[in-house]
Amino acid sequence: MDFILHPVEQRVLGALLEKDITTPEYYPLTMNALVAACNQKSNRDPVVSYDDGLVERAIEALREKGFATIVTGGGNRVPKYAQSFSERLNLGRRDLAILCELLVRGAQTPGELRNRGSRMYDFSDLDEVESCLRSLAAREPDPYIVQLPHQPGTKEQRWAHLLGGEPAVQAPAAASPSTSQHLAPASDRIEKLEAEMATLRDEVLELRKIVEDFRRQFE
């Protein structure tokens, strides 16, 4: 691929793609709106906290690559920003939905991409998602996405974009034959740990309340 996007550029581009499709009435975006779109807490992984200067530098880098434009005039009191990525690479709506989700939320399974990408494209079924994934992975001369190695304890393989270069893949820890067969599925273990952590947090908050109430008696 003749371009590599920095992680900040990836988030900015993903935000522009998302807002272009989901909220066309507020698009193109002002700088304030673009920063807010990058930093929003929903539909983002990881959640970030970019400032105007960082986003401005990312926009300039995307403009140099031909993936973003500045819109001025026409009644606009401030400059606004738009993506030209779809036109530059001749991508359709379903391709953009997949790439946008991978840009703003990282590697995902086909099922996750179908559910989360429904905001931008209504995939008829999982087969259509997988067909789109295979098409993007077979693009010439360079593929846009790649299927990641299968991770133990998971049912579906995840896909990641290649717009920032080869994705880093964390090697799974090897489990001994004597213990691996007794391990619960990863999703079950994670859910159990999350439930236990939530319970502990509640207990800590309750203890803090008790201590604060006790202190107030002597004030």
Side-chain angles (χ1 to χ4, degrees):
M1 192 170 290
D2 60 358
F3 65 88
I4 295 294
L5 301 183
H6 183 275
V8 181
E9 295 172 53
Q10 295 172 33
R11 175 58 61 86
V12 170
L13 177 59
L16 287 172
L17 289 170
E18 180 189 61
K19 301 308 179 184
D20 183 8
I21 298 172
T22 62
T23 56
E25 65 274 21
Y26 302 115
Y27 182 86
L29 303 180
T30 63
M31 177 55 65
N32 286 342
L34 180 53
V35 171
C38 291
N39 294 343
Q40 72 181 56
K41 293 180 171 58
S42 62
N43 302 315
R44 299 289 184 267
D45 187 12
V47 173
V48 298
S49 182
Y50 296 160
D51 59 25
D52 289 13
L54 194 59
V55 173
E56 285 176 1
R57 290 192 292 274
I59 280 288
E60 286 305 311
L62 289 170
R63 290 181 64 205
E64 290 176 1
K65 296 178 176 72
F67 294 156
T69 59
I70 298 179
V71 180
T72 57
N76 293 323
R77 290 178 296 177
V78 296
K80 294 188 176 182
Y81 304 92
Q83 62 86 16
S84 50
F85 178 81
S86 56
E87 293 83 0
R88 171 78 185 276
L89 298 184
N90 192 28
L91 295 170
R93 178 65 67 88
R94 71 174 196 170
D95 295 332
L96 292 174
I98 293 291
L99 286 171
C100 177
E101 280 299 322
L102 295 177
L103 283 166
V104 299
R105 298 190 75 155
Q108 299 168 67
T109 67
E112 290 171 332
L113 288 168
R114 183 190 179 193
N115 292 334
R116 296 165 176 172
S118 62
R119 300 172 299 131
M120 292 171 280
Y121 182 86
D122 185 16
F123 291 96
S124 58
D125 52 31
L126 202 56
D127 287 341
E128 185 179 9
V129 177
E130 293 174 344
S131 173
C132 182
L133 291 170
R134 289 192 294 271
S135 175
L136 289 169
R139 285 271 181 156
E140 295 292 345
D142 299 301
Y144 293 161
I145 65 173
V146 64
Q147 189 175 37
L148 300 178
H150 187 271
Q151 297 292 304
T154 60
K155 294 181 180 179
E156 294 183 272
Q157 287 181 258
R158 298 183 305 158
W159 292 77
H161 70 80
L162 293 169
L163 305 182
E166 288 291 334
V169 179
Q170 184 176 3
S176 64
S178 61
T179 60
S180 60
Q181 59 184 346
H182 301 297
L183 293 176
S187 58
D188 293 343
R189 298 199 303 276
I190 291 172
E191 289 177 359
K192 183 178 179 181
L193 287 171
E194 289 177 343
E196 291 175 349
M197 289 177 63
T199 300
L200 287 172
R201 283 196 298 268
D202 291 341
E203 291 176 352
V204 169
L205 290 173
E206 183 63 25
L207 285 172
R208 285 179 177 174
K209 184 177 183 300
I210 292 172
V211 171
E212 288 298 323
D213 291 342
F214 181 78
R215 285 178 177 172
R216 290 193 189 98
Q217 296 177 15
F218 299 94
E219 292 178 351

